[in-house]
């Protein structure tokens, strides 16, 4: 009987895993398995039904209380990403970068990596990035004589950079879960005024590893161009020339938006949720500027949107000059109000232009669908985790990790291996909501740094998008790839990038300061 009680939490994972492999919806699978094992625990006298009665209020409290306001950033960042996808920013960046690097051997591959990094910092949506670049770049790369494996692997890997380069949805969700786990671990140690780990900390911690990963991807493209020149040939110079006006027009607007969003977070001017709101408004203005909306006076509309974007940027910079909360003069307050009115008028004009072209409807629909999916999975995972803990799962996991050879290092290696294997079959959202709340408190009580752990987990989750047979980035690319590109070629192309990802995880594990130095410099 004692053995059955000990194994009951593990049976929950086995049952959930089996149901997921049968194709049942994730959120309802987690909630259904949780309810089923709650009934089993109730029959065995191991589960108090009071927890189920209090569960709705617990969910409402977790989402609505102030320390969970960070979850509001999820739909805002999703909206920002989808809006930028619809504004054809990827197409313009790929054309501009292709004209700049295309005449070099491996130039198109380098262009794909750089554009993937820029889209990661501005959209952060892996599926949209991979599909967009697959539709635009893959036919061109194949036409220019690129190896199908190299071309498809480069696009799939570049698309996953949105998982690690901030602002990233996975970092927002990880930050929320790690913050709760860190507070729980400190309370268990008798620390009732706990330190916090914020999403801003994770953004700062992931920035250096993310940029290093981009650099290694570029070095890989250069290495392939040197060792296998037939796999990544250059485009003849007479067929392509760099148009600097086109390049700057494609590059400067998203760079300004990236600086406004990420800079305001890292500089302490705004919380991630506030910065996400700024990013959503900036994406509306950028998309509205590039969509005429069948306006009778498109020049006026574009001018108003441009002026509004400048007003919004000036509002972001105003806290550096004076504090509007107290002690501001009438002139300063009046300037702030005037800038706000100009920005609001521009956003209204941009929304009208986007509504006329049907872009606004599509963006709102996609944002609602993705956000609803995230929060429904959160509710299902919360119920699963609640039952798991009440059945003694926390003690079981703690015993298993503490008995791992090597102490905290051995326990961390075990967790990372488990997350990597789960990434073959599960989405990053499911792993974040189910696995992280269970293992993170144990690791924190063993002395693991929360920012370092968050960056390691984010890199691991990013790798799951590339690992065959169920890597989601590979599925996205398979759906838009030409018939002559086989699934085997896509898998072969992704394999070197998976190895690069694993090497990057090992590098961050061996050199924790890669993840902790920048947050310490900015916030300590």
């Amino acid at each position: 009987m004692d053995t059955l009680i000990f194994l009951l939490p593990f049976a929950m994972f086995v049952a959930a895993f089996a149901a997921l492999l049968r194709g049942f919806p994730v959120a309802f699978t987690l909630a259904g398995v949780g309810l089923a094992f709650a009934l089993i625990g109730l029959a065995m006298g191991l589960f108090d039904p009071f927890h189920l009665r209090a569960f709705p209020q617990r969910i409402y409290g977790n989402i609505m209380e102030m320390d969970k306001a960070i979850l509001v950033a999820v739909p805002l960042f999703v909206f920002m990403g989808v809006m930028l996808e619809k504004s054809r920013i990827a197409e313009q960046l790929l054309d501009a970068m292709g004209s700049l690097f295309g005449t070099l051997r491996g130039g198109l591959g380098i262009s794909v990596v750089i554009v993937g990094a820029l889209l990661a910092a501005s959209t952060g949506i892996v599926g949209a990035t991979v599909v967009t670049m697959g539709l635009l770049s893959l036919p061109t790369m194949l036409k220019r004589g690129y190896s199908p494996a190299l071309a498809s692997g480069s696009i799939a890997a570049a698309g996953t950079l949105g998982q690690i380069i901030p602002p990233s949805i996975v970092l927002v969700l990880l930050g929320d879960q790690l913050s709760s786990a860190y507070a729980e671990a400190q309370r268990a140690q008798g620390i009732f005024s706990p330190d916090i780990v914020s999403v801003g900390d994770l953004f700062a911690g992931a920035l250096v590893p993310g940029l290093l990963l981009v650099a290694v991807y570029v070095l890989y493209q250069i290495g392939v161009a040197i060792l296998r020149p037939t796999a990544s040939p250059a485009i003849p110079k007479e067929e392509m020339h760099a148009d600097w006006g086109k390049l700057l027009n494609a590059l400067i607007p998203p760079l300004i938006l990236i600086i406004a969003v990420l800079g305001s977070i890292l500089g302490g001017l705004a919380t991630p949720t506030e910065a996400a709101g700024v990013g959503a408004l900036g994406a509306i203005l950028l998309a509205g500027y590039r969509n005429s909306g069948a306006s009778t006076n498109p020049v006026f509309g574009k001018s108003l949107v441009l002026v509004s974007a400048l007003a919004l940027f000036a509002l972001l910079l105003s806290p550096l000059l004076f504090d509007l909360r107290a002690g501001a003069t009438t002139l300063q307050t009046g300037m702030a109000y005037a800038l706000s009115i100009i920005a609001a008028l521009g956003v209204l004009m941009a929304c009208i232009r986007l509504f006329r072209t049907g872009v606004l409807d599509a963006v709102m629909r996609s944002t609602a669908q993705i956000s609803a999916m995230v929060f429904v999975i959160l509710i299902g995972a919360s119920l699963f985790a609640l039952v798991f803990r009440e059945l003694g799962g926390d003690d079981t996991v703690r015993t298993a990790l503490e008995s791992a050879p090597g102490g905290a290092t051995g326990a961390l290696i075990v967790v990372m291996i488990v997350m990597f294997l789960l990434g073959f079959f599960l989405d990053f959202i499911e792993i974040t909501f189910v696995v992280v709340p269970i293992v993170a408190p144990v690791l924190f009580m063993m002395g693991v740094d929360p920012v370092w752990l968050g960056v390691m987990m984010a890199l691991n989750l990013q790798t799951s998008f590339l690992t065959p047979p169920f890597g989601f980035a590979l599925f996205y690319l398979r759906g838009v790839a030409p018939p002559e590109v086989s699934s085997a070629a896509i898998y072969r192309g992704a394999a070197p990038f998976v190895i690069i990802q694993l090497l990057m995880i090992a590098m961050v594990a061996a050199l924790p300061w890669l993840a902790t130095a920048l947050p310490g410099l900015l916030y300590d």
Side-chain angles (χ1 to χ4, degrees):
M1 185 67 176
D2 291 340
T3 304
L4 178 61
I5 294 175
F6 179 79
L7 293 177
L8 199 58
F10 291 109
M12 283 188 68
F13 270 102
V14 174
F17 189 66
L20 290 172
L21 289 182
R22 291 294 302 271
F24 291 106
V26 174
F28 304 118
T29 294
L30 295 174
V33 170
L35 286 173
F37 276 81
L39 294 176
I40 294 173
L42 184 62
M44 298 174 64
L46 303 174
F47 185 81
D48 187 347
F50 172 79
H51 297 293
L52 291 182
R53 292 198 298 269
F55 180 71
Q57 182 59 37
R58 173 182 174 179
I59 287 294
Y60 179 81
N62 279 348
I63 294 178
M64 297 303 293
E65 65 188 12
M66 289 304 295
D67 65 345
K68 294 293 183 180
I70 186 61
L71 292 177
V72 179
V74 173
L76 290 173
F77 277 131
V78 171
F79 179 90
M80 171 183 164
V82 176
M83 182 63 78
L84 289 175
E85 176 203 350
K86 302 298 183 183
S87 67
R88 300 176 61 195
I89 183 173
E91 181 178 346
Q92 295 181 1
L93 282 172
L94 284 168
D95 287 344
M97 289 297 173
S99 65
L100 185 62
F101 293 105
T103 54
L104 304 174
R105 280 210 308 258
L108 289 180
I110 295 173
S111 300
V112 164
V113 172
I114 294 176
V115 171
L118 290 171
L119 292 177
S122 54
T123 65
I125 300 178
V126 172
T129 303
V130 172
V131 169
T132 302
M133 293 202 300
L135 289 171
L136 297 175
S137 295
L138 189 55
T140 302
M141 297 176 80
L142 296 176
K143 178 183 176 183
R144 295 296 182 179
Y146 268 68
S147 160
L150 177 63
S152 56
S154 300
I155 292 172
T160 63
L161 290 171
Q163 294 292 95
I164 188 64
I165 296 180
S168 158
I169 301 299
V170 68
L171 291 176
V172 174
L173 299 178
L174 263 178
D176 171 67
Q177 297 299 312
L178 289 175
S179 177
S180 300
Y182 194 44
E184 177 186 334
Q186 290 182 91
R187 285 194 296 268
Q189 294 173 306
I191 303 172
F192 296 102
S193 297
D195 294 331
I196 61 171
V197 54
S198 68
V199 173
D201 293 326
L202 282 188
F203 278 9
L207 189 59
V208 173
L211 295 178
L212 278 177
L213 194 59
V214 174
V216 177
Y217 280 1
V218 171
L219 289 176
Y220 173 73
Q221 298 288 343
I222 295 173
V224 171
I226 295 172
L227 299 176
R228 291 191 293 135
T230 57
S232 54
I235 299 175
K237 291 184 178 181
E238 58 271 14
E239 295 185 24
M240 185 169 290
H241 65 279
D243 186 341
W244 288 100
K246 184 178 179 181
L247 175 62
L248 293 176
N249 183 58
L251 193 59
I252 289 178
L255 277 180
I256 292 175
L257 188 60
I258 293 167
I259 292 171
V261 174
L262 192 54
S264 61
I265 297 172
L266 299 182
L269 300 178
T271 66
T273 303
E274 293 164 348
V278 172
L281 290 179
I284 291 174
L285 292 171
L286 180 56
Y289 181 79
R290 292 181 173 175
N291 285 268
S292 65
S295 174
T296 56
N297 192 351
V299 176
F300 171 76
K302 277 193 170 186
S303 301
L304 179 57
V305 171
L306 182 59
V307 171
S308 299
L310 295 175
L312 183 63
F313 193 68
L315 274 174
L316 279 176
L317 296 179
S318 59
L320 297 176
L321 303 176
F322 48 84
D323 188 354
L324 292 174
R325 294 172 299 177
T329 65
T330 304
L331 177 62
Q332 293 169 340
T333 306
M335 288 175 57
Y337 278 122
L339 291 173
S340 300
I341 292 171
I342 294 172
L345 289 175
V347 170
L348 179 61
M349 174 61 72
C351 287
I352 293 172
R353 292 160 69 91
L354 294 170
F355 177 76
R356 287 173 175 169
T357 56
V359 171
L360 188 61
D361 288 345
V363 171
M364 296 295 288
R365 188 177 300 109
S366 296
T367 302
Q369 290 172 343
I370 296 172
S371 302
M373 176 193 70
V374 171
F375 285 108
V376 170
I377 292 176
L378 169 62
I379 293 172
S382 297
L383 180 56
F384 183 93
L386 170 66
V387 178
F388 180 85
R389 289 176 172 175
E390 291 303 318
L391 294 180
D394 277 1
D395 295 333
T396 303
V397 170
R398 183 178 299 108
T399 302
L401 291 180
E402 289 177 348
S403 61
T409 302
L412 180 62
I413 292 174
V414 170
V415 169
M416 297 300 288
I417 291 175
V418 170
M419 291 181 67
F420 178 75
L421 296 177
L422 288 175
F424 280 60
F425 310 99
L426 302 181
D427 184 56
F428 76 93
I429 300 175
E430 300 136 37
I431 297 175
T432 300
F433 286 150
V434 176
V435 178
V436 174
I438 294 171
V439 301
V442 182
L443 293 175
F444 290 150
M445 285 190 283
M446 298 175 75
V448 176
D449 184 88
V451 174
W452 179 55
L453 177 63
V455 173
M456 293 273 287
M457 286 182 167
L459 285 168
N460 202 338
L461 293 174
Q462 180 190 357
T463 308
S464 70
F465 270 80
L466 290 173
T467 47
F470 298 112
F472 286 90
L474 308 182
F475 279 150
Y476 295 142
L477 187 59
R478 174 68 275 172
V480 298
E484 61 267 24
V485 179
S486 64
S487 297
I490 295 176
Y491 290 163
R492 285 198 309 272
F497 291 97
V498 173
I499 295 173
I500 292 173
Q501 290 279 154
L502 295 176
L503 291 175
M504 180 57 62
I505 294 174
M507 184 184 297
V508 175
L511 304 172
W513 57 266
L514 290 174
T516 58
L518 186 57
L521 181 65
L522 291 175
Y523 304 122
D524 287 349

